[in-house]
Structure formats: C-alpha cells, structure tokens
Amino acid sequence: MIYLDYQATTPLAPEARDAMMRWLDGPGGTGFGNPHSPHKMGREAKAAIEFAREQVAALFPAGGKVIFTSGATEALNLAIRGSGKDGTVSVSAIEHSAVLDTAKDAGKCHVLNVAKDGQCNTKQDLPQDTRLVCLMQVNNEIGVIQPTVEWHRKAKENNALYLCDAVQAYGKIEVTGADMIAISAHKFHGPKGVGALWVRDGVDLHEVQTGGGQEFGLRSGTLSPALIAGMGAAAAEAKDRMEQDAEHVQKLWKRACQIFENWELNGSAEARYHGNLNIRPRGPNGGGLDVGRLMSDCRNVMFSAGSACASGSGRTSHVLEAIGLPKKLAKASIRLGFGRYTTLEEIEEAGRTINEAAKAQGAL
C-alpha cells in the first residue's frame, strides 16, 4: 500500500506512540489516573498534560494559552461561538466545513471570495459589524497558503478578532499570528481525537459546552493524558524536524510534478504547501475522468478525490468551485498528499499506476 492522503490524516510518529504507552496502562499500571484527581496518580497524569501543553505551545506565537480539545472542529466551534453572538462572522469561501457551517449556524455570516489561484482577495471590504474574520493558513484541498498577515491586519483595522484554522500548517511551516488558532494532532503525526485552540492573551471567550470547566473554565470534560502526551511528542518532533521535513517534501514535490506533467495543477504552485498536489488531467478529455473508477483501478494507492470530510457525499468540491473550476473539471480532480514518511520510490510507483489508469480511461 502506498499512502498519499496526508491532508486527510498522517501516520502516527513512533515518538508519539511511545509517549502515549505509559498513560494507557491497565490493571497493575499507574498511568491510567484521572488528571483532575488530587492523588499521586492524578498529579502525575496532570504533570504529563502540562508538559505536553508546553511542547504544543512551542510552535505557536508567544503570548497565548493552549486549550486542549477533542480536535480542530471543537476548537473552531469554541472560537466562533465563544467569541460573541452579535455581529457578522466573515469567512473565506474555501474554509473547511467546520468553519463555514459553524459560522452560518452561529448567526450572520459573510463569505469572502477567492481568486483563481486560490488566495483570498485582500481588497474586498468587510461588513461594518464584522466581529470575527476566519481565514485558514493552508487550504486542506488545494494546499494554497493564504495572506493571513494582511487579513489579520485588516481584522484589527475593523475592530474584529481573527481566527486561523492552522490544521494543515502547524508542524510544517511557521504558524501565523492571530487572535485564535485551531489545530488537530492527527495532521502532524499525532493521534486522532485530540486538538487544541490557542487563544491570545487578552481575548475573552465564554464556554459553549457546560460541565466541569476543566480547561480554563472554557472547555469541559476529562482530558486524556495518553492522547495529549502523544500530541505533545508529535509537536516536539515536528519542531525538531521542520527544516528536514520541508527539504524532503520539496524533493517529493519536484519529482511528482515531473511525473504528472500531463496534469493541470489546481491553485497556485508558488503560494502553496508543496506536500499537496491537487490536479486534473490536461486537455479536452480531462473532464471525462471518472475519479471513482480511477481509485478502484489504483486500489494499492491511497489518495483522495477531494476533502476527506466530504468524500462519498457526491457534492462537487466547494473549494474548486470557489476558484472558478467548472463542475466537470472539479469532479475530474484528485488530491495527492505526501510528507515525512513518503519515499521517492512510492511517488514514482504511484505515478505510474495513476497515469496508466487515467490513460486507460482516455483522459490523458
């Protein structure tokens, strides 16, 4: 099996797995304590969480706190719903559904357009009552890096807060400045089921889920020492390997572009995280590619027909539609994601398999 779906999830780092094991102890072990209990086992579990909090915080800007959640979706809900009710939430047209759907459900929502290269246009105006601007750092479908610095500045000029979905950026590139930042551990080689919301000092939130208020009175529920320890170890490993990982991804990107030279790239090639290759067949018959059949014919290669969160829905990618791609071409697009544990040999073998299957359909 060749795994090329790194935007959907990443392989668990050995360092993260090792960090988790102690806190999964069963009978006879001492690592299963509740981190909110006052006894020795509870205090040890709490200490592990606080150590991981420091590891995760090390990749965020200075001057904020890390609130652990069950993942980025919960973190984004806390940020959007917990930052206020009055006013408009302005979101880019290519945000993840965790932002788009939550913003629409939370009240007044204004959608910001994007250019054909996939970047959110900074020249457009915000509604006068905008209270929150939401713009992701790296798009999960096409990998385009957004002008977050400019939008953060624009939010400040409009007396609004700025929320950044940094799920695809954290651990890979330097995380942008913002008022609130959401991440998910399984996108940077940590375990699934845990994430975090970083909140800048001075930003006031209110809880949206009542209970014990274990996390700063803002997020209730018993924390998992195992998941959080794994997340912390994954963050520390990402910090140590960031330059090395980036060089490796760049080599994979260069070779992949050569292999898929008869495919058209969706989104900018320059303002992009190069571990994401979202492409469609070049030429008049490209739109005739049956991606479902392609995936069946290439069952040894794990790749995506778009965002994993919308797979099987039958809907055209809202991201590809937002950059002006006709439905026929959007539905003929595939996404290949690679990273730390991908080899050049895997890229080459996957390329041969996918190209041969696309040619058999007459799409290339």
Side-chain angles (χ1 to χ4, degrees), residues 46-58 66 68 170 225 227-233 235-236:
K46 180 177 174 60
I49 286 173
E50 295 311 312
F51 178 67
R53 199 187 303 276
E54 292 177 3
Q55 291 176 308
V56 172
V66 171
F68 287 120
Y170 183 94
L227 292 178
I228 291 173
M231 183 180 186

Side-chain angles (χ1 to χ4, degrees), residues 18-347:
D18 291 346
M20 294 171 67
M21 292 309 295
R22 180 199 166 174
W23 307 105
L24 293 171
D25 282 349
T30 60
F32 63 88
N34 187 321
H36 312 294
S37 297
H39 49 63
K40 185 175 186 291
M41 284 172 59
R43 293 196 303 273
E44 288 177 348
K46 180 177 174 60
I49 286 173
E50 295 311 312
F51 178 67
R53 199 187 303 276
E54 292 177 3
Q55 291 176 308
V56 172
L59 282 170
F60 280 120
K65 62 175 176 280
V66 171
I67 301 171
F68 287 120
T69 64
S70 62
T73 295
E74 184 188 347
L76 291 164
N77 268 265
L78 175 57
I80 294 170
R81 299 180 191 278
S83 57
K85 294 181 179 179
D86 298 327
T88 295
V89 179
S90 290
V91 302
S92 84
I94 60 170
E95 293 301 297
H96 190 280
S97 58
V99 169
L100 279 170
D101 292 352
T102 305
K104 290 173 183 176
D105 186 69
K108 288 166 43 177
C109 178
H110 171 72
V111 179
L112 302 162
N113 63 48
V114 296
K116 289 183 178 180
D117 68 355
Q119 286 199 309
C120 188
N121 175 16
T122 58
K123 294 181 180 179
Q124 56 195 307
D125 293 328
L126 293 169
Q128 289 187 345
D129 67 340
T130 296
R131 68 170 180 85
L132 179 67
V133 176
C134 305
L135 179 69
M136 63 194 349
Q137 186 169 359
V138 177
N139 182 263
N140 55 300
E141 291 196 35
I142 57 176
V144 174
I145 298 173
Q146 298 300 316
T148 54
V149 174
E150 290 84 351
W151 275 106
H152 188 192
R153 185 182 303 119
K154 193 157 189 167
K156 283 184 176 180
E157 291 171 353
N158 285 265
N159 296 315
L161 294 174
Y162 174 54
L163 166 63
C164 183
D165 168 356
V167 167
Q168 299 290 339
Y170 183 94
K172 303 176 183 71
I173 61 177
E174 183 178 353
V175 174
T176 190
D179 294 302
M180 296 175 286
I181 305 170
I183 63 170
S184 192
H186 74 104
K187 304 293 187 174
F188 56 91
H189 305 291
K192 296 174 182 65
V194 63
L197 178 68
W198 177 89
V199 182
R200 181 180 57 77
D201 292 342
V203 172
D204 291 325
L205 291 180
H206 64 81
E207 62 180 352
V208 298
Q209 171 183 299
T210 56
Q214 284 89 340
E215 282 288 89
F216 303 98
L218 292 171
R219 195 270 182 178
S220 295
T222 301
L223 295 176
S224 167
L227 292 178
I228 291 173
M231 183 180 186
E237 188 68 13
K239 185 175 186 294
D240 291 344
R241 296 181 54 138
M242 192 173 291
E243 186 175 339
Q244 178 185 345
D245 283 349
E247 290 175 359
H248 179 61
V249 165
Q250 190 59 32
K251 289 178 183 177
L252 298 175
W253 164 267
K254 187 175 180 180
R255 184 65 184 120
C257 288
Q258 293 170 343
I259 292 169
F260 292 98
E261 61 181 353
N262 292 323
W263 297 66
E264 190 78 25
L265 185 68
N266 293 323
S268 172
E270 292 76 31
R272 188 190 199 99
Y273 170 64
H274 282 169
N276 176 308
L277 190 68
N278 192 304
I279 51 179
R280 65 185 190 275
R282 210 185 290 272
N285 294 325
L289 180 69
D290 183 335
V291 173
R293 177 182 159 194
L294 182 73
M295 296 177 80
S296 178
D297 291 343
C298 305
R299 58 176 58 101
N300 66 312
V301 183
M302 309 297 109
F303 62 96
S304 176
S307 171
C309 299
S311 63
S313 68
R315 300 195 308 267
T316 305
S317 161
H318 72 283
V319 174
L320 296 182
E321 283 189 332
I323 64 174
L325 217 59
K327 286 188 177 182
K328 186 177 181 181
L329 296 181
K331 288 186 175 181
S333 298
I334 63 173
R335 184 188 67 187
L336 307 177
F338 38 85
R340 181 185 301 169
Y341 303 115
T342 312
T343 66
L344 274 173
E345 291 75 19
E346 287 176 324
I347 291 288

